[in-house]
Amino acid sequence: MAAEPQALSEGELELAVERKLEGEKLGELDEEAAQYIDEIYDIVDAVVSRTDDPTLPALTIRVWLLGTFFGFMLALVNTLFTFRTNSLTVNPFIAVLLAYPLGIGMATFLPKISIFGVSLNPGKFNFKEHALIYVFASTCTVPAYALDNIIGQRYILYQEDLTVAACVFFGIVTQCFGYGLAGLCRRYLVRPAAMLWPSNLSTIAMLNSLHQADVDPALPLSRFNFFWIVTGVVFLWQWIPGLIAPIFATISILCYVAPKTGDRGQMMRLMGSAYNGMGLLSFSFDWSLMSYLAPITTPLWALVNQVLGLWVFLWVLTPILWVNNTFGIDFKLGSAPQDTANGSGRFPLGQALNTPSLFTKEGVRIAAPAFVVQSDLSLDVDVYNANAPIYITTYFALLYTSSFIVFASCLVHVGLWYGKDIWHRFRTAMRDLDTADVHAKMMDVYPEVPDLWYIGLLVTNLITAIAVCQWGGFQLPWWGVILGFLLALVSMIPIGTIQAISGQQIGLNVMSEFLIGLILPGRIAAVMAFKTFSYMAMSQGLLLVSDLKLGHYIKIPPRSMFIVQLFSTIMAVIVNIFTSFFIYEHFGKVDVPIDDADPQGPTKSVWALQAPEPPVGWNANGYTVFLNAGAIWGAIGPARFFGPGSPYVNTLYGFLIGAVLPVFPWIMHRFFPNGYWHLVNIPVIMTVPLDPGSTLSILITPLLLGFIVNYVIKKYHHAWWKKYAYVMSAAFDCGTAIALTIIFFIFVFGDNAPHMPRYALNRYDPELCVPDFYQTCNERAEDPNYSAATDPDCMYFGLAA
């Protein structure tokens, strides 16, 4: 006897009717395209509601107050952390967690009155408000890319006529440049159901977890209380590796067991040092370093891919290429007496490997400004020819090879694994832009942002950009701004489609440098400005598109989303720029020898963060890397640096390698579909996110932590993992950020800052890799009453020579 059909609930019946109507509409398409759309609905329905209440307030006074506060704080703190040797980014999830009880408190205690027609308390704190606060925070989280450009010109190249106003306008237009493009592309990248934007689904799931009932007898501790407990514990712990016992930040095993003398000991220390070498077997208990790989929030398969790739690049390929002097004088770099332990100490291990520095044909370090004409920031051909070819370390060269591999492999990987999906979904989107998608229908209730708004924003930014670059000191001609705009325009929809479907974005930064470096060789400022414009026009544009899709799923009025995005972006840029200026200038200037080979000779004044010995852990490494890259692609130019006859011409084979490598796991998956080949992601494996000069002690502990959290706990204690894992990661960020901020302003910032006494766990070089005399003499020199000239152990050390 056949079972009787079960009655459908009202919600299930409504869902069935909607699916029936959508199915009829999709029937007009081919069967395969309709199948793809149906798969999209299955994914989205897991986290996104098919209902909406258009009467819910969205852009309320609570959003303005909480969003502005958290956005301001994130912009300020994360700008501060860009000056760290390894930058730290505080996650916007912290703002989401803290805004929830504050929003509820404001709904409870604020009077229900209106001021100038705006209600102070429009009722219950709701999901849409919370999502807009997240948009505020996430927009302000990553400091403006233009900061690298501005700091490089104003402080490292000493372009003192670069005005504050020009810097602010440059930052604003580069961050907002892509917003006009995003608005014009939203019909293709937001409305179609085929444009999934998978990263938004985890954000919605996170917001759902806070607004749904948090009652579980087995796990009675609320997420909010758990967050503050973990934050407190991590705050206390961070004082140990951050100040009291820095040895726990970098435990370099090879340096502990290396012989004190001889070539073998020298090699072990160079390979094992996390500061000066490759960090082989070095590990860390400092979350400010470990968080760089986001071991808790990154899926385990992606973390394994990335760490294995880094092991291969840092611990296998780099040592092999270095030992074999692959690029000509790899051994010689950093061995000049003025740079070693007996000189400035820039390379205390006697050779250079983990540094963004540039070197002459003799292997002597040369600063990028040395071959740049100060008056117009062009290449000083005479100085360049006298020192050419310019060399970089083996590690730095491999980073460029990696970027070439990643660019080509991303195109091939996405084409092989997602090409069919992208084609069908893009074709479906183009043919049926106004399909009866339930989310699109619900969004039609809200007034759309007029195209004129986006066109006006685009034209305003374009005109301002031309003016700022032509007359503001950034030296990019008007046609260069238009070329950057066109490069972003033609790449917006294809790259946006790839990101919407696969979650992977193909960056334009390397290709933009390559293009403009060929067109404008010898123009460092113009190349850096073009890179910033073209890359950020697309990147920021797609960020806005992603947020527009988030609003599409959550049913946030488009005009509210537009206002929040634009306001928070401009606010963040202003905070970024003034914070970075304050930090840089407050450290002040110091006098250093004009010629490193003559330490007792004439001196020059340089910014403290550019001195041979900047504050430990705060050497602004990211800005130096950006400027040296600008010198390579801009001042020298790709034709000279990577062209025929260059030591680095073979790095261009990275494009060919990147085009071939992704084919192998794809073919293996075709033959063995039940294996793990689908988890082998060549673009992720080949990505090396650690700039030269970074602390390389983060390749063991993060993997162990990720395995414990995202495999052991997820598998055997899934309920705990689901409730607390992401909250724990945010608490780690928060506790670490608070501790480091306090440590910075008390123990680092300022001329009279107190110093932690030296003892076994707080040596001058906490990883214990440098020579003993270098360690001892530097510690003695910290005593203001000490005279190296009368110390027989140190009288020939460094500047006392």
Side-chain angles (χ1 to χ4, degrees), residues 254-262 265-266 269 276 340-342 347-350 758 760 763-781 786 791-795 797-798:
L254 290 186
C255 292
Y256 295 171
V257 300
K260 295 293 184 182
T261 58
Q266 164 79 359
R269 284 192 294 273
N276 300 291
T340 60
N342 272 318
F347 310 117
L349 300 184
R758 298 293 180 191
R763 302 298 305 274
Y764 180 84
D765 172 39
E767 63 173 355
L768 309 180
C769 290
V770 299
D772 289 343
F773 81 89
Y774 181 79
Q775 183 96 275
T776 301
C777 293
N778 271 295
E779 290 178 350
R780 292 177 182 176
Y786 173 74
D791 185 343
D793 296 327
C794 302
M795 61 187 306
F797 166 69

Side-chain angles (χ1 to χ4, degrees), residues 226-236 727 730-732 734-736 738:
F226 177 83
F227 171 82
W228 282 113
I229 291 173
V230 176
T231 295
V233 172
V234 173
F235 168 80
L236 295 175
V727 178
F732 282 3
C734 187
T736 299
I738 295 172

Side-chain angles (χ1 to χ4, degrees), residues 238-317:
Q238 188 57 43
W239 285 80
I240 295 176
L243 179 69
I244 299 171
I247 193 172
F248 290 108
T250 49
I251 300 176
S252 299
I253 300 297
L254 290 186
C255 292
Y256 295 171
V257 300
K260 295 293 184 182
T261 58
D263 292 341
R264 182 166 172 265
Q266 164 79 359
M267 174 72 75
M268 290 179 67
R269 284 192 294 273
L270 194 61
M271 291 300 112
S273 172
Y275 294 140
N276 300 291
M278 290 295 96
L280 180 60
L281 302 182
S282 180
F283 58 95
S284 174
F285 294 108
D286 185 344
W287 179 254
S288 71
L289 300 178
M290 294 165 58
S291 65
Y292 200 81
L293 296 180
I296 297 176
T297 57
T298 300
L300 185 59
W301 70 268
L303 182 64
V304 170
N305 273 268
Q306 189 169 48
V307 171
L308 288 179
L310 289 171
W311 284 357
V312 171
F313 265 99
L314 272 62
W315 295 354
V316 179
L317 290 180

Side-chain angles (χ1 to χ4, degrees), residues 318-554:
T318 300
I320 290 175
L321 295 179
W322 182 76
V323 166
N324 288 283
N325 258 343
T326 302
F327 300 108
I329 61 170
D330 302 50
F331 261 22
K332 196 174 181 180
L333 303 184
S335 62
Q338 61 264 36
D339 287 330
T340 60
N342 272 318
S344 66
R346 178 76 74 165
F347 310 117
L349 300 184
Q351 288 166 307
L353 193 53
N354 178 23
T355 175
S357 296
L358 306 178
F359 298 87
T360 69
K361 61 185 177 184
E362 303 299 330
V364 178
R365 180 176 58 87
I366 182 171
F371 49 85
V372 175
V373 178
Q374 193 70 35
S375 59
D376 62 359
L377 301 185
S378 63
L379 176 67
D380 190 325
V381 178
D382 292 335
V383 173
Y384 172 75
N385 288 336
N387 294 284
I390 298 298
Y391 284 90
I392 55 178
T393 64
T394 311
Y395 177 41
F396 204 168
L398 268 181
L399 279 179
Y400 278 125
T401 309
S402 164
S403 66
F404 301 153
I405 293 174
V406 169
F407 181 82
S409 65
C410 193
L411 292 173
V412 176
H413 176 86
V414 169
L416 290 173
W417 292 93
Y418 302 102
K420 191 175 181 181
D421 287 10
I422 289 171
W423 169 245
H424 281 289
R425 290 174 183 175
F426 183 73
R427 185 178 59 168
T428 300
M430 296 302 101
R431 290 172 54 187
D432 200 52
L433 290 170
D434 296 316
T435 184
D437 169 45
V438 60
H439 301 292
K441 287 193 299 182
M442 285 189 284
M443 285 300 293
D444 287 338
V445 173
Y446 302 99
E448 185 56 86
V449 177
D451 285 342
L452 191 60
W453 289 18
Y454 289 111
I455 294 172
L457 183 62
L458 185 62
V459 171
T460 301
N461 274 285
L462 191 59
I463 294 173
T464 307
I466 291 174
V468 168
C469 286
Q470 194 80 47
W471 299 290
F474 294 94
Q475 301 184 2
L476 183 64
W478 64 268
W479 56 263
V481 176
I482 295 176
L483 180 62
F485 162 70
L486 293 176
L487 181 61
L489 177 65
V490 299
S491 61
M492 191 80 174
I493 290 181
I495 292 180
T497 301
I498 291 172
Q499 185 175 353
I501 301 304
S502 68
Q504 296 178 334
Q505 184 183 113
I506 301 173
L508 290 179
N509 49 341
V510 173
M511 289 302 99
S512 62
E513 286 178 311
F514 219 127
L515 174 64
I516 197 65
L518 291 172
I519 298 174
L520 288 175
R523 301 284 297 279
I524 183 172
V527 167
M528 292 193 301
F530 181 86
K531 172 186 176 181
T532 302
F533 268 110
S534 58
Y535 174 61
M536 290 312 295
M538 186 205 71
S539 180
Q540 279 292 108
L542 293 180
L543 175 64
L544 177 60
V545 168
S546 178
D547 282 341
L548 289 175
K549 190 67 177 187
L550 177 68
H552 186 83
Y553 284 142
I554 299 178

Side-chain angles (χ1 to χ4, degrees), residues 39-56:
E39 290 174 359
I40 290 291
Y41 286 136
D42 287 337
I43 296 171
V44 173
D45 286 342
V47 293
V48 178
S49 171
R50 282 181 165 244
T51 61
D52 179 41
D53 181 1
T55 65
L56 281 180

Side-chain angles (χ1 to χ4, degrees), residues 166-188:
C167 293
V168 170
F169 278 112
F170 181 78
I172 291 174
V173 295
T174 54
Q175 290 296 101
C176 298
F177 205 70
Y179 282 12
L181 293 176
L184 299 179
C185 295
R186 70 193 188 281
R187 186 165 180 261
Y188 309 100

